[in-house]
Amino acid sequence: MTAIPEGPYGNASAPGHPADLLVRFQQAVAAAPDRAAVHDERGSLTFAELDRRTAQVGKALTVRGAAPGEHIGVSLPRGADLVVALLAVWRAGAAYVPLDPAYPTERLHAMVRDADIRTLLTADDDDRAWPEGVQTLSLGELPAPADRNPAPPVSTPAHAPAYVIYTSGSTGTPKGVETTRGGVASLLSGLEAAGMYAEEPRVVAWNASVSFDASVQQWARVCRGDTLVVLGEEERTDPARLCEVLDRHGVHDLDLTPSHWHLLRADLLVRAVEGRRLRLFMGGEPVPEPTWRELAAERAGGRLEALNLYGPTECTVDATATWIEGGSPHIGHPLPGVRAHVLDAALRPVADGAEGELFLAGAGVAAGYVGRPALTATRFVADPFAADGTRMYRTGDKVRRRADQALEYLGRIDRQVKIRGYRVELGEIEAALATHPGVATAVVTLHSSPAAGEQLAAYLVAADGTEGSAAVAAASPDALREHLAKTLPQYMLPTAYVTLDALPLTVNGKVDLAALPAPQEAADAAAPPDDAAQDHAPDGEVETLIADVWSEVLGRAHIRADDDFFALGGHSLIALRVVARLKKQLGIAVSSREVYRHPRLRDLAQHVETVRVGR
C-alpha cells in the first residue's frame, strides 16, 4: 500500500490507495486543533472540539452496538450537531442512514425497517414515534465531553459500509444504496488529484440535503481540514440570507444546482465583480447551454470559477468532473480512480462520437442495494475490461465520447428524471397513485413550461364505479396530493393532475406520452365559468398584488383568492421568486418558508398584511 504522508492533504497524489477519511480527520485535528471546523447559526466548533464531541457520541453508539456493517439512523435538523452525528457514526465504524425529519412518517418507517436500523440519533425535541425495537439517542442527553485526549476511531476496512442513501425506485419502493468507506475516500482523493479542490484549507458551504448524495462531497470535506459552514433551512432558501452568510464567513466553495444558480446569479455576479471569487460546484442536473456560456465567460474574465460534476448515487456521488469553460456543455473526464466505458446493448465499446450507455467502474462503485440482491445483480455487473472480479455500474445514461475524450450527456435510456437536482423514478409516483381507490391507472410525465420550469404532471383514469361526480370527489387533485404526501417527499408530488377517459395508446399498446394534453390546457378546459371564478377573485391591494405575482411566475392567466400555490405548480425555487417580488413591490421581507406555511393566496395575503402593519 502506498505510504500516506503526514498532514491533511498528503493523500492527494495517491487516488488508488486513499486513506480513510477518519484517519485524515485525525491528521487535520493534529495540524490545526484551534482552527474553526464547523459554523452554524448558533456558533462554531474548533477541530479539537469536534474531535472530542464525535469521540463522545461515537463511544455512546459503540455501547449501543454500533460496529462496522451496522446501520445507524440519523434524524437531525441542519446544524453542527448533524456533522457531529455523521462523524460519530463513522468513528464507531458504522454506516449512517439519513432520515430527513421533513419526510412523511410512513416513508421514514419504511426506510428504518428496510435498513434494519436498531439505533437512531435524534434531536432533543424529537417526539416522532419510531418503529418498535429502535432505540433513540439524543445528542442533548450526553454531557459535555471531558476527555482532552479522546480515543482514536475504530479501525474500519475500506469495504465496510459508509452510508445508505435512499433513492426513488421504479417499482414503487425507494431503494437504499449502500456505499463503502473506501468509495468515499476515493471520491475526495479523486477530486483532489483532478485539481478540483484547492491545496490550502478552504471555507465550504454545506448546501445540499443530507438525504441527497451530493451532501457527502460537501460535509466530508471537514475530514481533509476544510472549514464547514452548515447553511440553515432559512439561509439556503433565501438568496439574501444565503449571500449574507457567504460574506460573513468568507465562503470559498459553494455547491448548487443549475436551477439554483438562476436565483443567486445576480448577487453572486456582483460579488464576483467586487473581487470575492467563489468556486461553484454544480451538479444534480444538466447545465443549460446559456448557463454554461455565462459561467465560462466569468471564468475567462477571472471573476468566478465553476465546475460541472456528474455521478450517480451508486458510484459515490461524483464520477466525472470538468471546469465550465469554452465550448458547449459536457460532463468532462472520469476522476482519477474511476473507469468509464461507453457500451452498446451487448456491452461492446462504441466508437468515439457514437451514442452508448455509460458504465462506471472503480473504487467508488457502491456495494449495492440494501436487501435487494436481484436488483443489485441487474445494475452492478462484472467488469469484462478489468478481468479481476470487480464490477461496473450500468448508469442508464446515454453519452458519447467527444474527440477530446470528454463525455457528453445525451439523456436517459429509461424513465428516470431529474427535477431541481432530485432523482425521481416516475414509476414510484405512478405506483403510489395506483393505491388510491379512485384511480384505475395513472402515468406521470415531466412537463416544462416557460414560466414555472420543470414540473411533474399526473394523468389518470378513474376507477370503475367512480364515474361522474363520484369520480371527481374520489380523485380530486387535493385528495390525490394528500394521498401521495403520506408516502412521498414534497419534491416528488406532481403539480398537475389530469383525469382522462382513457390513456392514449400507441399501436404497440404502450401509453402514447406524446398524445397526452399539456397540463395547462387540461386545467383551462376544466376551469369554472367566469361568473363562478369571479366569486373567488382576489380582493384588495395585497391579494391582487400576490395574484399578479403568481400569475407571472407560474404562467397562469387567472388566479383565485382560494388557489393553492403548490396546486398551481409552485415549488421551492418559484417560492423564492415570489418572496423577491413581494420585497421589491411592497418592501416587505417574508421568507419562502412563509409561502409553505400559507400556501393559499388569501392566507398568505393576510400574513403579509400582518407583517406590514407590525413594521
Side-chain angles (χ1 to χ4, degrees):
M1 178 174 287
T2 303
I4 302 167
E6 294 298 323
Y9 303 102
N11 181 51
S13 62
H17 303 278
D20 184 82
L21 293 190
L22 265 293
V23 172
R24 301 191 64 185
F25 176 68
Q26 293 292 291
Q27 294 173 344
V29 172
D34 298 323
R35 188 157 52 82
V38 181
H39 298 292
D40 69 5
E41 295 172 300
R42 296 184 298 175
S44 303
L45 292 174
T46 65
F47 274 93
E49 290 169 338
L50 183 59
D51 184 37
R52 292 194 293 269
R53 184 71 168 141
T54 56
Q56 176 204 36
V57 179
K59 181 178 179 181
L61 289 173
T62 300
V63 169
R64 288 163 174 77
E70 189 78 12
H71 296 158
I72 305 297
V74 177
S75 183
L76 289 165
R78 300 177 65 86
D81 278 352
L82 181 55
V83 181
V84 169
L86 301 179
L87 280 174
V89 172
W90 279 1
R91 192 155 191 147
Y96 71 84
V97 184
L99 301 166
D100 193 329
Y103 277 13
T105 297
E106 189 174 328
R107 192 178 186 86
L108 292 177
H109 284 203
M111 291 162 63
V112 168
R113 289 189 291 267
D114 188 66
D116 192 24
I117 292 172
R118 293 189 286 269
T119 302
L120 200 153
L121 290 170
T122 65
D124 298 348
D125 57 355
D126 181 20
D127 57 359
R128 188 191 299 265
W130 294 98
E132 186 177 352
V134 175
Q135 57 178 335
T136 60
L137 172 63
S138 166
L139 270 62
E141 296 175 13
L142 303 175
D147 192 351
R148 306 293 295 183
N149 297 292
V154 171
S155 179
T156 307
H159 65 265
Y163 59 82
V164 176
I165 281 183
Y166 279 81
T167 67
S168 183
S170 59
T171 59
T173 303
K175 53 185 182 290
V177 181
E178 185 178 73
T179 62
T180 66
R181 291 282 284 262
V184 181
S186 180
L187 167 68
L188 265 66
S189 175
L191 287 165
E192 288 171 335
M196 305 308 180
Y197 289 160
E199 293 186 5
E200 70 282 356
R202 304 270 280 189
V203 180
V204 181
W206 178 5
N207 186 23
S209 164
V210 69
S211 294
F212 186 28
D213 69 319
S215 66
V216 180
Q217 190 266 107
Q218 298 166 47
W219 81 260
R221 288 185 60 175
V222 73
C223 294
R224 66 184 294 274
D226 292 324
T227 297
L228 195 62
V229 178
V230 185
L231 300 175
E233 287 296 342
E234 294 283 359
E235 294 166 343
R236 63 193 290 263
T237 57
D238 184 328
R241 292 191 62 178
L242 173 59
C243 290
E244 188 275 325
V245 172
L246 300 182
D247 292 343
R248 177 167 17 113
H249 294 293
V251 168
H252 302 113
D253 295 353
L254 173 67
D255 277 73
L256 73 169
T257 63
S259 297
H260 202 187
W261 160 255
H262 291 294
L263 295 169
L264 298 174
R265 60 179 297 280
D267 289 313
L268 296 184
L269 290 177
V270 166
R271 282 159 176 76
V273 170
E274 294 173 348
R276 287 174 282 178
R277 189 172 184 181
L278 267 177
R279 180 172 294 183
L280 303 179
F281 290 72
M282 283 199 163
E285 58 192 15
V287 179
E289 189 156 348
T291 302
W292 183 283
R293 290 198 301 266
E294 180 176 47
L295 291 172
E298 291 299 312
R299 176 171 169 80
R303 294 179 295 274
L304 182 150
E305 52 190 10
L307 296 135
N308 187 25
L309 303 171
Y310 160 85
T313 304
E314 288 85 348
C315 293
T316 316
V317 190
D318 299 321
T320 72
T322 183
W323 294 103
I324 295 179
E325 56 186 359
S328 57
H330 59 92
I331 59 174
H333 299 83
L335 291 172
V338 175
R339 302 188 302 277
H341 307 293
V342 184
L343 309 178
D344 63 15
L347 302 189
R348 296 170 302 199
V350 303
D352 288 357
E355 178 183 301
E357 182 179 358
L358 179 61
F359 286 71
L360 296 170
V365 173
Y369 301 113
V370 173
R372 301 193 182 188
L375 181 61
T376 297
T378 300
R379 304 298 299 181
F380 297 84
V381 298
D383 183 356
F385 309 101
D388 59 1
T390 57
R391 302 168 306 147
M392 58 184 183
Y393 173 69
R394 55 187 324 152
T395 66
D397 288 329
K398 294 184 291 186
V399 300
R400 64 169 162 247
R401 204 183 299 274
R402 307 190 322 179
D404 61 1
Q405 298 301 293
L407 295 168
E408 185 177 346
Y409 177 80
L410 302 174
R412 294 288 301 174
I413 63 173
D414 56 20
R415 297 185 63 228
Q416 184 189 112
V417 299
K418 282 288 188 79
I419 181 166
R420 295 183 291 281
Y422 291 100
R423 169 172 149 181
V424 174
E425 293 281 3
L426 299 177
E428 182 175 359
I429 308 173
E430 292 165 352
L433 276 168
T435 63
H436 189 284
V439 176
T441 186
V443 64
V444 178
T445 66
L446 185 65
H447 175 74
S448 183
S449 71
E454 292 185 329
Q455 299 175 322
L456 296 169
Y459 298 85
L460 55 110
V461 176
D464 290 341
T466 60
E467 297 176 356
S469 60
V472 175
S476 69
D478 284 347
L480 291 170
R481 193 174 294 106
E482 182 179 352
H483 176 75
L484 294 180
K486 294 176 182 178
T487 57
L488 301 180
Q490 178 72 33
Y491 66 85
M492 290 183 68
L493 301 183
T495 294
Y497 297 81
V498 181
T499 301
L500 302 173
D501 293 334
L503 295 177
L505 302 177
T506 66
V507 292
N508 295 324
K510 296 183 179 181
V511 176
D512 187 353
L513 300 178
L516 292 169
Q520 185 57 52
E521 292 176 3
D524 291 342
D530 290 343
D531 55 347
Q534 189 63 35
D535 294 339
H536 302 278
D539 182 35
E541 177 192 5
V542 177
E543 282 191 12
T544 302
L545 172 62
I546 295 176
D548 289 342
V549 172
W550 285 17
S551 179
E552 177 186 337
V553 301
L554 296 171
R556 299 272 184 166
H558 304 289
I559 304 291
R560 301 181 302 169
D562 58 353
D563 276 337
D564 183 291
F565 177 72
F566 299 102
L568 293 178
H571 51 71
S572 58
L573 298 183
I574 294 180
L576 294 177
R577 292 166 61 186
V578 171
V579 167
R581 287 290 305 277
L582 290 175
K583 184 175 182 180
K584 179 179 180 181
Q585 294 187 230
L586 288 179
I588 295 176
V590 296
S591 71
S592 60
R593 181 169 295 184
E594 297 306 319
V595 180
Y596 278 80
R597 289 173 178 162
H598 309 285
R600 295 204 178 274
L601 188 148
R602 182 160 287 153
D603 295 338
L604 179 60
Q606 289 175 354
H607 173 73
V608 171
E609 286 280 20
T610 301
V611 173
R612 183 159 69 167
V613 171
R615 283 192 303 181

